[in-house]
Amino acid sequence: MQLSTLEKLNEARTARRAAVVVNDLSSGRAEAFIEGEPFPAEWDAAISETLRSARPALATVNERSLFLNVYLPPPRIVVVGAVHISQALARLAPIAGFDLTIIDPRTAFATVERFQGIELLADWAEDVLPTRPLDRYTALAAVTHDPKIDDYPIRAALDAGCFYVGALGSRKTHAARVERLRAAGVPEEAIGRIRAPIGLNIGAASPAEIAVAVLAEIIGAFRHRDRGEQERVA
């Protein structure tokens, strides 16, 4: 790999943005492009499709055979709430390949003793997220039941286009949450992206079982995020 291509990929990884390397199979030339930047017009459709599918692809453009390889930022999970479910998620997420961060301003819960080896931010999401922004490769799970703690990061996750936004709570709790979000001006389409009740319906009862259900739902959302985007467009 050429040094310029490697530098471009490192730039994308640092910025948590996807990148595509277009390899011209006839000339051996390779060129990297970062998501969000303008692409050459002749390659735009092929690059955009590769980014959308997040899968390597072969393409023929103007009688040139191309191989497009895609590089995605490492997926991560941000959990709002240092509760028992979060403790189980903190153990499971790395096994599934997700980095995990926990945010909770309640210092009685957000302790190093309860979350050893996990990135733990004992602060309000309003203070954390401006300097550690969410993105399309982040899943957000809000699990405190407390509107003062949950609502802001949920709105931030919807604004950032996180591939998964889940919120713990009963249907009654979520109905109240929806009313608050509507009153705050959040569009119906965005509100409809919130997974609530959170987690796959596997009959989970214990915190560990709920964590398994949430992680499974996050994995499904990540693997099928292109399908979700297509459905929203339709």
Side-chain angles (χ1 to χ4, degrees):
M1 182 178 292
Q2 296 175 337
L3 179 60
S4 59
T5 302
L6 185 60
E7 290 174 342
K8 197 81 171 179
L9 293 179
N10 285 336
E11 177 186 342
R13 184 179 180 86
T14 300
R16 285 190 57 79
R17 293 163 67 186
V20 170
V21 175
V22 180
N23 299 275
D24 188 324
L25 297 182
S26 58
S27 68
R29 179 187 172 200
E31 192 168 355
F33 300 93
I34 298 177
E35 181 180 34
E37 296 180 349
F39 308 135
E42 61 177 353
W43 291 351
D44 185 88
I47 293 174
S48 297
E49 173 59 23
T50 303
L51 284 170
R52 187 195 63 75
S53 68
R55 295 181 178 87
L58 289 168
T60 301
V61 178
N62 295 336
E63 299 183 350
R64 296 165 64 187
S65 296
L66 308 174
F67 174 69
L68 297 93
N69 205 359
V70 62
Y71 297 81
L72 300 181
R76 64 176 177 173
I77 301 172
V78 172
V79 182
V80 177
V83 298
H84 289 106
I85 297 171
S86 314
Q87 288 180 290
L89 259 178
R91 294 192 294 272
L92 293 170
I95 297 173
F98 289 88
D99 296 331
L100 185 138
T101 298
I102 293 177
I103 302 173
D104 196 325
R106 303 170 299 181
T107 53
F109 296 102
T111 66
V112 175
E113 291 74 19
R114 300 181 68 225
F115 294 95
Q116 293 185 7
I118 298 297
E119 184 178 47
L120 178 64
L121 304 172
D123 210 338
W124 291 90
E126 289 90 328
D127 296 323
V128 171
L129 296 183
T131 57
R132 303 171 65 88
L134 304 170
D135 56 45
R136 296 176 58 235
Y137 303 96
T138 300
L140 181 120
V143 295
T144 75
H145 290 287
D146 187 338
K148 296 192 304 297
I149 301 175
D150 285 350
D151 282 7
Y152 175 84
I154 289 173
R155 291 175 55 188
L158 295 173
D159 289 343
C162 289
F163 72 86
Y164 175 92
V165 183
L168 189 68
S170 65
R171 296 188 188 282
K172 181 179 179 181
T173 297
H174 185 58
R177 178 184 297 124
V178 168
E179 289 306 313
R180 292 193 304 274
L181 294 175
R182 283 175 179 157
V186 179
E188 288 294 329
E189 184 274 337
I191 292 173
R193 292 181 50 222
I194 302 172
R195 311 289 185 105
I198 196 171
L200 295 183
N201 183 10
I202 58 173
S206 69
E209 291 173 350
I210 295 171
V212 169
V214 172
L215 183 58
E217 191 172 51
I218 288 174
I219 292 171
F222 184 69
R223 293 302 175 194
H224 300 294
R225 62 195 185 287
D226 55 327
R227 185 184 307 170
E229 288 175 1
Q230 285 180 329
E231 289 172 350
R232 284 195 295 278
V233 170

Short mmCIF file of all heavy atoms in Angstrom, two decimals, residues 86-115:
data_model
loop_
_atom_site.label_atom_id
_atom_site.label_comp_id
_atom_site.label_asym_id
_atom_site.label_seq_id
_atom_site.Cartn_x
_atom_site.Cartn_y
_atom_site.Cartn_z
N SER A 86 -25.71 -2.12 32.52
CA SER A 86 -24.47 -1.57 31.94
C SER A 86 -23.27 -2.41 32.37
O SER A 86 -22.33 -2.60 31.56
CB SER A 86 -24.27 -0.13 32.40
OG SER A 86 -25.46 0.61 32.27
N GLN A 87 -23.27 -2.90 33.60
CA GLN A 87 -22.16 -3.74 34.04
C GLN A 87 -22.06 -5.00 33.19
O GLN A 87 -20.97 -5.42 32.79
CB GLN A 87 -22.35 -4.12 35.52
CG GLN A 87 -22.11 -2.97 36.48
CD GLN A 87 -22.31 -3.38 37.93
OE1 GLN A 87 -23.42 -3.64 38.36
NE2 GLN A 87 -21.21 -3.48 38.66
N ALA A 88 -23.21 -5.61 32.89
CA ALA A 88 -23.20 -6.80 32.04
C ALA A 88 -22.80 -6.45 30.61
O ALA A 88 -22.02 -7.17 29.97
CB ALA A 88 -24.58 -7.46 32.06
N LEU A 89 -23.32 -5.33 30.09
CA LEU A 89 -22.95 -4.90 28.74
C LEU A 89 -21.45 -4.62 28.63
O LEU A 89 -20.83 -4.92 27.61
CB LEU A 89 -23.72 -3.63 28.37
CG LEU A 89 -24.95 -3.77 27.47
CD1 LEU A 89 -25.60 -2.41 27.26
CD2 LEU A 89 -24.58 -4.39 26.13
N ALA A 90 -20.90 -4.09 29.69
CA ALA A 90 -19.47 -3.76 29.69
C ALA A 90 -18.62 -5.02 29.54
O ALA A 90 -17.52 -4.98 28.98
CB ALA A 90 -19.10 -3.02 30.97
N ARG A 91 -19.12 -6.14 30.04
CA ARG A 91 -18.38 -7.40 29.88
C ARG A 91 -18.62 -8.03 28.51
O ARG A 91 -17.74 -8.67 27.95
CB ARG A 91 -18.79 -8.38 30.99
CG ARG A 91 -18.38 -7.95 32.39
CD ARG A 91 -18.55 -9.08 33.38
NE ARG A 91 -19.94 -9.46 33.57
CZ ARG A 91 -20.76 -8.90 34.47
NH1 ARG A 91 -20.31 -7.93 35.24
NH2 ARG A 91 -22.00 -9.30 34.59
N LEU A 92 -19.83 -7.86 27.98
CA LEU A 92 -20.18 -8.53 26.73
C LEU A 92 -19.71 -7.78 25.48
O LEU A 92 -19.32 -8.40 24.48
CB LEU A 92 -21.71 -8.68 26.64
CG LEU A 92 -22.35 -9.62 27.66
CD1 LEU A 92 -23.87 -9.46 27.62
CD2 LEU A 92 -21.96 -11.06 27.37
N ALA A 93 -19.76 -6.46 25.51
CA ALA A 93 -19.50 -5.67 24.30
C ALA A 93 -18.11 -5.93 23.70
O ALA A 93 -17.99 -6.11 22.48
CB ALA A 93 -19.69 -4.18 24.59
N PRO A 94 -17.04 -5.97 24.50
CA PRO A 94 -15.71 -6.23 23.89
C PRO A 94 -15.63 -7.58 23.22
O PRO A 94 -14.93 -7.73 22.21
CB PRO A 94 -14.77 -6.14 25.10
CG PRO A 94 -15.49 -5.32 26.11
CD PRO A 94 -16.93 -5.68 25.94
N ILE A 95 -16.35 -8.56 23.73
CA ILE A 95 -16.33 -9.90 23.10
C ILE A 95 -16.91 -9.82 21.70
O ILE A 95 -16.44 -10.50 20.78
CB ILE A 95 -17.15 -10.89 23.97
CG1 ILE A 95 -16.50 -11.05 25.34
CG2 ILE A 95 -17.27 -12.25 23.27
CD1 ILE A 95 -17.33 -11.87 26.32
N ALA A 96 -17.90 -8.96 21.52
CA ALA A 96 -18.53 -8.80 20.21
C ALA A 96 -17.80 -7.78 19.33
O ALA A 96 -18.24 -7.51 18.21
CB ALA A 96 -19.99 -8.38 20.37
N GLY A 97 -16.71 -7.20 19.84
CA GLY A 97 -15.92 -6.29 19.02
C GLY A 97 -16.29 -4.83 19.13
O GLY A 97 -15.89 -4.03 18.27
N PHE A 98 -17.03 -4.46 20.16
CA PHE A 98 -17.44 -3.06 20.33
C PHE A 98 -16.64 -2.42 21.47
O PHE A 98 -16.51 -3.00 22.55
CB PHE A 98 -18.93 -2.97 20.69
CG PHE A 98 -19.85 -3.32 19.56
CD1 PHE A 98 -20.24 -4.63 19.34
CD2 PHE A 98 -20.33 -2.34 18.70
CE1 PHE A 98 -21.10 -4.96 18.31
CE2 PHE A 98 -21.18 -2.66 17.66
CZ PHE A 98 -21.57 -3.97 17.46
N ASP A 99 -16.13 -1.22 21.20
CA ASP A 99 -15.64 -0.40 22.29
C ASP A 99 -16.85 0.11 23.07
O ASP A 99 -17.94 0.27 22.50
CB ASP A 99 -14.86 0.80 21.75
CG ASP A 99 -13.59 0.37 21.01
OD1 ASP A 99 -13.06 -0.68 21.36
OD2 ASP A 99 -13.18 1.09 20.09
N LEU A 100 -16.70 0.37 24.35
CA LEU A 100 -17.85 0.79 25.15
C LEU A 100 -17.47 1.91 26.10
O LEU A 100 -16.40 1.87 26.73
CB LEU A 100 -18.42 -0.40 25.92
CG LEU A 100 -19.71 -0.12 26.70
CD1 LEU A 100 -20.70 -1.29 26.55
CD2 LEU A 100 -19.42 0.07 28.20
N THR A 101 -18.33 2.90 26.19
CA THR A 101 -18.15 4.01 27.11
C THR A 101 -19.43 4.17 27.93
O THR A 101 -20.53 4.03 27.38
CB THR A 101 -17.90 5.33 26.33
OG1 THR A 101 -16.70 5.20 25.58
CG2 THR A 101 -17.77 6.51 27.27
N ILE A 102 -19.27 4.44 29.20
CA ILE A 102 -20.42 4.66 30.07
C ILE A 102 -20.40 6.10 30.58
O ILE A 102 -19.36 6.59 31.03
CB ILE A 102 -20.42 3.67 31.24
CG1 ILE A 102 -20.66 2.26 30.71
CG2 ILE A 102 -21.48 4.05 32.29
CD1 ILE A 102 -20.61 1.18 31.74
N ILE A 103 -21.56 6.76 30.47
CA ILE A 103 -21.70 8.13 30.94
C ILE A 103 -22.81 8.17 31.99
O ILE A 103 -23.91 7.67 31.75
CB ILE A 103 -22.07 9.08 29.78
CG1 ILE A 103 -21.03 9.04 28.67
CG2 ILE A 103 -22.26 10.51 30.28
CD1 ILE A 103 -21.42 9.82 27.41
N ASP A 104 -22.51 8.73 33.13
CA ASP A 104 -23.53 8.87 34.17
C ASP A 104 -23.05 9.91 35.19
O ASP A 104 -21.95 9.77 35.74
CB ASP A 104 -23.77 7.52 34.88
CG ASP A 104 -25.07 7.53 35.68
OD1 ASP A 104 -25.43 8.59 36.24
OD2 ASP A 104 -25.73 6.48 35.75
N PRO A 105 -23.84 10.97 35.40
CA PRO A 105 -23.40 11.99 36.35
C PRO A 105 -23.54 11.56 37.81
O PRO A 105 -23.04 12.26 38.71
CB PRO A 105 -24.33 13.17 36.03
CG PRO A 105 -25.58 12.51 35.55
CD PRO A 105 -25.13 11.28 34.80
N ARG A 106 -24.21 10.46 38.04
CA ARG A 106 -24.47 10.02 39.42
C ARG A 106 -23.24 9.26 39.94
O ARG A 106 -23.04 8.09 39.65
CB ARG A 106 -25.71 9.14 39.47
CG ARG A 106 -26.97 9.84 38.92
CD ARG A 106 -28.12 8.88 38.75
NE ARG A 106 -27.81 7.81 37.82
CZ ARG A 106 -28.66 6.86 37.46
NH1 ARG A 106 -29.88 6.84 37.98
NH2 ARG A 106 -28.30 5.92 36.62
N THR A 107 -22.44 9.95 40.69
CA THR A 107 -21.16 9.37 41.12
C THR A 107 -21.33 8.20 42.08
O THR A 107 -20.39 7.44 42.30
CB THR A 107 -20.29 10.46 41.78
OG1 THR A 107 -21.04 11.11 42.81
CG2 THR A 107 -19.86 11.50 40.75
N ALA A 108 -22.51 8.06 42.66
CA ALA A 108 -22.75 6.90 43.52
C ALA A 108 -22.79 5.61 42.69
O ALA A 108 -22.47 4.52 43.19
CB ALA A 108 -24.05 7.06 44.29
N PHE A 109 -23.18 5.73 41.42
CA PHE A 109 -23.25 4.55 40.53
C PHE A 109 -22.00 4.45 39.64
O PHE A 109 -21.52 3.35 39.37
CB PHE A 109 -24.48 4.65 39.63
CG PHE A 109 -25.79 4.60 40.38
CD1 PHE A 109 -26.51 5.75 40.62
CD2 PHE A 109 -26.30 3.40 40.85
CE1 PHE A 109 -27.72 5.71 41.31
CE2 PHE A 109 -27.50 3.35 41.53
CZ PHE A 109 -28.22 4.52 41.77
N ALA A 110 -21.54 5.57 39.16
CA ALA A 110 -20.42 5.58 38.21
C ALA A 110 -19.10 5.52 38.97
O ALA A 110 -18.39 6.52 39.12
CB ALA A 110 -20.49 6.84 37.34
N THR A 111 -18.76 4.34 39.43
CA THR A 111 -17.54 4.17 40.20
C THR A 111 -16.60 3.19 39.48
O THR A 111 -17.04 2.27 38.80
CB THR A 111 -17.84 3.61 41.60
OG1 THR A 111 -18.37 2.27 41.47
CG2 THR A 111 -18.84 4.49 42.33
N VAL A 112 -15.34 3.42 39.65
CA VAL A 112 -14.33 2.55 39.04
C VAL A 112 -14.47 1.13 39.56
O VAL A 112 -14.25 0.16 38.83
CB VAL A 112 -12.92 3.10 39.33
CG1 VAL A 112 -11.85 2.14 38.81
CG2 VAL A 112 -12.75 4.48 38.71
N GLU A 113 -14.86 0.99 40.82
CA GLU A 113 -14.99 -0.35 41.40
C GLU A 113 -16.06 -1.18 40.65
O GLU A 113 -15.91 -2.39 40.51
CB GLU A 113 -15.38 -0.25 42.88
CG GLU A 113 -14.29 0.30 43.79
CD GLU A 113 -14.10 1.80 43.63
OE1 GLU A 113 -15.01 2.48 43.10
OE2 GLU A 113 -13.02 2.30 44.00
N ARG A 114 -17.10 -0.52 40.17
CA ARG A 114 -18.17 -1.25 39.47
C ARG A 114 -17.88 -1.43 37.98
O ARG A 114 -18.49 -2.27 37.32
CB ARG A 114 -19.50 -0.50 39.64
CG ARG A 114 -19.95 -0.34 41.09
CD ARG A 114 -21.27 0.38 41.18
NE ARG A 114 -22.36 -0.43 40.64
CZ ARG A 114 -23.30 0.03 39.82
NH1 ARG A 114 -23.26 1.29 39.41
NH2 ARG A 114 -24.26 -0.75 39.38
N PHE A 115 -16.96 -0.62 37.44
CA PHE A 115 -16.69 -0.67 36.00
C PHE A 115 -15.19 -0.67 35.73
O PHE A 115 -14.67 0.19 35.03
CB PHE A 115 -17.37 0.51 35.30
CG PHE A 115 -18.87 0.47 35.36
CD1 PHE A 115 -19.55 1.15 36.35
CD2 PHE A 115 -19.60 -0.27 34.43
CE1 PHE A 115 -20.94 1.10 36.42
CE2 PHE A 115 -20.97 -0.32 34.49
CZ PHE A 115 -21.65 0.37 35.49
#
